[in-house]
Amino acid sequence: MNSPVTQVRHLEGVRILDLFAGPGGLDVAAHFLGFKSIGIEWDRNACETRYAAGLPTIHADVSLMRETRFDEIPKTVDVLAGGPPCQSFSVAGNGAGRRALNTVKEFIHRLVDGEDEAQIDEDLRALSDPRTALVLEPFRWLIKAIETEGREPYKVIILEQVPAVLPLWEIYAKLLRGGEGRLEGVKYEAEYWELKTEQFGVPQTRTRAVLVARLPGHGAIEPLETTHLPFDLHRRKRNATQADTLPTDSAPTGTKKRWISMAEALDAASKLKDSPVDVSRLRTGGRMKFFIVSNYGSGGDPKNRGRRQSSEPAFTVTGKISRNKVYKSIAEYEAGQSDRFTIPESGVLQTFPHNFPWSGKDQAQQVGNAVPPRLGMHILGKALCGNAPSDEELANANTWPSVSQATTDGLRRLGCGDRGQCPPKSHNVIRSRQKSVL
C-alpha cells in the first residue's frame, strides 16, 4: 500500500476533481494552466496512461467512490469537472439516451427534491442502457459535497458531453441557478454552450455540449471567445478522385485565424525534439499530401464513407480512428494500399502533446474518448481565470514533461493500492504462455 507521506506528496495542492477522467484530456489542460487535478477512472488501460503521464488517479467506479470512499477526495478540491460516458447519447450509439432524455430530466428533479436514493438507483438500473444514469453523477457529487460535514460546495463545475446532452445541461443550469431543494442556499451562475473544436485550434471537427457553473462573486460567465474560423461541413460533395485537387477553404478574415489542418498539426509535431510522430511516409516530393476515408458512413448510407484531405481538419477523432484509411494518392486508393494514423498521430489530432505516454491496451479508444486538451484549456481558462489561455501557455502545451518510473509506480500504488477496491475483474490476468504483470 502507499504510505501516507507519498499520498500527501501526490495529492498536495489538488484543486480539480475529474470524474470519468479517461487518459487525461482535462487533466492535461489543467497542468498547462498551472492547476493540479485528480481523476477517477474505472478503465485500467486509461489508468495506465495516466500513471505513465504522472497524473494522480483513483482506479474506481465513480458511483461507488461517491457512495463509500468520498472522504478520500482531498478537501482542497473546489472544482468539479466531468465528461460522463456518452455512448447512449451519441449519434453514433443506439440512441437509448436520446430517447430517455425526458426520463433522465425527471431523475434530476427527483434527486434535487430529496427522494429516496435507493429507489432512484433501482429505477435507474431499469433503464435500457445503464450508462445513461452516469450523466447524473456530477449532480450527485455536488449534492454529496453540500451535505457532507466538513465539505464546502464546489466553487466551479465544468461538464462536457455530446451535443445531444445540451437539454440536460439546460436543466442542470436552471437548478444550479435556483438553489432549491437539496441545493437550498447554494446558487450558481451557470451557462451552457455548444462548441466546435476547430474554432479553438483543434485540428478536427467535433462538437461538444459544455456547461460552466460558478459560485457568485466572480462576475457573469461570458461565452468562450473563439480563436479560429469554423470549417464548412456543407461544402460540395466529393469523391475519391477529387480529393487531391479540391482547394482549401478561403483565407481568414478579420482577427480569426483559419482552422488548423491535419497536415499543419502533424508536420509541426514531427519537428519537435525526439518526436514519435514521423510523417515522412505521408510526404510526396517534400510536401505532405494525403486524404483519409472515414470508417463511418454518412447520410444514412454505411457505404458512403466521408473523405477529408490533408489540408483540412480531421473528422471527429473517435475510438475507431485507427480504422480510418489514409492514402497518399489516387493510385494507392484504387490499388487498396492504405495506411493508418499511429497512436501518437491520433493523439496530436486530439491536441495531446506529441510525446504523451500512451500506455495499456485499447489506446485508440483512449484517444477517442478524451476531451481535446486544447479545448479543455479554453474552457478551464474561462471558468477558473476568466480569460482564454495565453499564446505562451498554448505553445508550451505541445510537449509533455518526462515522468520518472518511481513517480509512475507511486501513482499506480495510490490509484490501485492492493487492487482490493478497484473495479471488479479489472485486474484479472488472462492466462496464456506469458502472464501479464498486472
Side-chain angles (χ1 to χ4, degrees):
M1 295 292 290
N2 219 20
S3 72
V5 173
T6 303
Q7 285 193 11
V8 168
R9 177 171 60 84
H10 287 312
L11 300 182
E12 184 178 3
V14 167
R15 281 199 59 193
I16 301 172
L17 172 62
D18 187 5
L19 307 179
F20 312 103
L26 277 177
D27 305 77
V28 169
H31 167 84
F32 286 118
L33 291 176
F35 298 104
K36 192 170 181 180
S37 63
I38 184 170
I40 302 175
E41 175 53 45
W42 74 273
D43 180 68
R44 169 188 156 196
N45 295 304
C47 287
E48 283 302 315
T49 292
R50 295 177 59 87
Y51 300 150
L55 298 173
T57 307
I58 299 175
H59 182 198
D61 176 270
V62 166
S63 301
L64 291 177
M65 193 78 196
R66 167 179 53 80
E67 293 168 357
T68 64
R69 302 173 61 189
F70 188 79
D71 60 338
E72 294 181 34
I73 303 301
K75 292 186 178 181
T76 53
V77 166
D78 60 1
V79 179
L80 179 69
C86 66
Q87 289 91 337
S88 64
F89 291 92
S90 174
V91 173
N94 64 17
R98 297 195 303 276
R99 292 190 298 271
L101 275 174
N102 289 334
T103 302
V104 176
K105 290 178 185 178
E106 293 175 9
F107 278 110
I108 296 176
H109 285 287
R110 289 173 63 183
L111 282 169
V112 175
D113 292 342
E115 288 194 28
D116 180 64
E117 292 211 27
Q119 183 61 52
I120 290 176
D121 287 333
E122 183 177 341
D123 293 343
L124 284 169
R125 285 192 290 270
L127 294 176
S128 58
D129 189 333
R131 294 173 300 183
T132 304
L134 295 176
V135 80
L136 300 174
E137 278 299 325
F139 214 97
R140 302 184 83 168
W141 275 80
L142 168 61
I143 292 173
K144 185 78 170 184
I146 292 173
E147 296 181 346
T148 298
E149 185 177 355
R151 296 277 178 166
E152 297 291 332
Y154 301 110
K155 294 179 181 178
V156 179
I157 300 170
I158 299 167
L159 304 178
E160 177 267 351
Q161 251 276 14
V162 294
V165 179
L166 202 63
L168 291 184
W169 289 172
E170 180 181 6
I171 298 297
Y172 264 50
K174 288 180 180 179
L175 292 171
L176 290 170
R177 293 168 186 153
E180 300 176 355
R182 295 170 77 181
L183 303 181
E184 184 176 2
V186 181
K187 292 185 178 182
Y188 287 84
E189 302 279 351
E191 298 294 341
Y192 53 94
W193 314 279
E194 194 172 273
L195 304 178
K196 296 183 181 297
T197 56
E198 80 271 16
Q199 291 192 267
F200 296 91
V202 179
Q204 65 168 298
T205 53
R206 184 190 195 106
T207 304
R208 306 304 288 176
V210 173
L211 177 143
V212 173
R214 210 163 48 194
L215 289 176
H218 301 281
I221 300 173
E222 300 293 336
L224 275 68
E225 182 76 22
T226 60
T227 56
H228 292 69
L229 294 172
F231 179 70
D232 181 11
L233 291 173
H234 303 290
R235 65 210 183 285
R236 63 188 178 90
K237 292 184 178 180
R238 67 185 58 168
N239 57 44
T241 58
Q242 295 173 314
D244 279 343
T245 59
L246 284 176
T248 62
D249 282 20
S250 58
T253 57
T255 59
K256 305 288 185 185
K257 303 174 184 177
R258 195 200 68 171
W259 36 261
I260 296 175
S261 70
M262 291 181 281
E264 291 170 313
L266 294 173
D267 185 58
S270 71
K271 295 176 180 177
L272 296 171
K273 183 179 179 181
D274 298 326
S275 177
V277 177
D278 182 1
V279 293
S280 59
R281 73 189 191 288
L282 301 177
R283 296 186 187 277
T284 301
R287 177 188 173 195
M288 195 185 305
K289 185 177 181 182
F290 60 86
F291 65 93
I292 63 173
V293 178
S294 173
N295 176 59
Y296 294 101
S298 60
D301 181 1
K303 295 181 180 179
N304 183 22
R305 307 294 186 180
R307 295 171 176 82
R308 293 272 176 92
Q309 56 182 324
S310 55
S311 56
E312 297 174 324
F315 295 106
T316 298
V317 174
T318 72
K320 302 296 189 293
I321 187 172
S322 59
R323 298 184 186 179
N324 290 346
K325 296 182 178 180
V326 182
Y327 301 94
K328 278 204 308 181
S329 65
I330 298 303
E332 283 189 359
Y333 175 80
E334 292 176 343
Q337 299 173 340
S338 62
D339 201 339
R340 309 277 178 166
F341 287 128
T342 66
I343 293 301
E345 290 164 356
S346 301
V348 165
L349 296 179
Q350 276 279 56
T351 62
F352 276 87
H354 72 286
N355 61 335
F356 196 68
W358 300 101
S359 303
K361 299 179 180 178
D362 299 327
Q363 292 181 13
Q365 192 68 50
Q366 292 184 49
V367 174
N369 286 347
V371 178
R374 189 177 179 111
L375 177 65
M377 290 179 71
H378 280 273
I379 296 170
L380 289 174
K382 174 63 72 172
L384 302 183
C385 308
N387 50 257
S390 67
D391 290 341
E392 182 179 3
E393 287 170 329
L394 291 171
N396 290 337
N398 291 325
T399 301
W400 192 248
S402 61
V403 175
S404 70
Q405 187 62 48
T407 294
T408 293
D409 293 341
L411 288 172
R412 188 182 290 109
R413 288 192 296 271
L414 171 66
C416 293
D418 61 2
R419 304 180 187 173
Q421 298 191 82
C422 293
K425 300 182 181 180
S426 61
H427 287 281
N428 277 9
V429 174
I430 299 175
R431 294 188 178 278
S432 60
R433 292 184 180 180
Q434 292 184 337
K435 294 182 179 181
S436 172
V437 295
L438 279 176

